[in-house]
Amino acid sequence: AQAREKTASWTVMVYMAADNDLENFALADINEMEEVGSTEDVNVLVQIDRSEDYTTRDGNWTDARRFFIDYEERYSPGRVTSPEVEKLGEVNMGDPGVLADFVVWGMTTYPAENYALVIWDHGGSWFGVASDYSENGDELTMPEVAQAMRQITLQTGVPRLDLVGFDACLMGALELYQSLHGYAE
């Protein structure tokens, strides 16, 4: 599942900051993605960082990993069956460089006509999203998300993503969208 030759219609990248009390829900959400999986036209990618504290499911690994989400024929709750394409070790999901690295990797490894980014975790509106308990609760502030988006556009040459969304509480404020103006359609 590493590096596709054909340019897909969409590459959807899900940045799952689950090194916190949402770890169990992250595995469940990956299982939901596996019910559909990637297709020839749509690449679904996940970067997930897990915690040491909240669940021992799926082998209880606690570092960050990247997955190419495949269709799962037989539902296996709490277990990721999609191919793991990269082990990252422990990373700080609250670091804008880590976010940018994931998106640049996704866009260059799985090229597409359209790109979507979903940032998944607890959300605190302007104060931040994507908290990492292993890093003293560090999270991405909205200026840091904008910083990551600047880095992504500079490194890929793609002027803006087609969609940037948040699967997190309180992330629908006008100020958030204003901070991403110019980086997403």
Side-chain angles (χ1 to χ4, degrees), residues 16 18 44 51-52 65 70 97 99 104 113 115 125 161 164:
M16 291 187 121
V44 181
S51 173
E52 296 179 2
R65 299 179 183 191
D70 264 345
L99 172 60
V104 169
E113 297 167 10
Y115 296 101
S125 191
L161 300 181
V164 174

Side-chain angles (χ1 to χ4, degrees), residues 62-108:
T62 60
D63 57 354
R65 299 179 183 191
R66 291 178 177 161
F67 292 91
F68 178 84
I69 302 300
D70 264 345
Y71 171 70
E72 178 181 30
E73 285 189 36
R74 215 172 73 216
Y75 183 67
S76 55
R79 192 169 150 264
V80 178
T81 61
S82 293
E84 178 185 297
V85 294
E86 191 170 358
K87 284 184 183 179
L88 302 173
E90 189 56 48
V91 300
N92 179 359
M93 296 291 273
D95 180 337
V98 173
L99 172 60
D101 181 66
F102 169 59
V103 176
V104 169
W105 167 82
M107 292 172 70
T108 56

Side-chain angles (χ1 to χ4, degrees), residues 13 103-104 106-108 110-116 148-163 182-185:
M13 298 161 282
V103 176
V104 169
M107 292 172 70
T108 56
Y110 299 92
E113 297 167 10
N114 302 283
Y115 296 101
M149 297 303 292
R150 275 190 300 280
Q151 187 176 340
I152 292 161
T153 58
L154 287 172
Q155 288 185 327
T156 64
V158 175
R160 62 180 48 96
L161 300 181
D162 295 278
L163 176 91
Y183 297 115
E185 293 293 329

Side-chain angles (χ1 to χ4, degrees), residues 23 27 48 50-51 58-65 67 80:
E23 178 186 17
L27 294 173
I48 178 174
R50 288 184 59 184
S51 173
D58 196 23
N60 199 29
W61 48 274
T62 60
D63 57 354
R65 299 179 183 191
F67 292 91
V80 178

Side-chain angles (χ1 to χ4, degrees), residues 3 19 36 40 47 57 59-60 70 74 101 113 117 129 136 182:
D19 194 344
V36 177
E40 191 173 299
Q47 177 170 309
R57 290 165 44 170
N60 199 29
D70 264 345
R74 215 172 73 216
D101 181 66
E113 297 167 10
L117 168 64
V129 65
N136 297 315

Side-chain angles (χ1 to χ4, degrees), residues 121-130 139-140 142 168-171 173 176:
D121 187 32
H122 287 295
S125 191
W126 183 258
F127 299 105
V129 65
E139 61 188 358
L140 294 168
M142 286 315 297
C169 292
L170 305 174
M171 300 307 288
L176 303 179

Side-chain angles (χ1 to χ4, degrees), residues 1-18:
Q2 185 80 3
R4 291 244 174 143
E5 290 181 23
K6 178 184 179 277
T7 299
S9 293
W10 281 89
T11 291
V12 178
M13 298 161 282
V14 183
Y15 187 77
M16 291 187 121

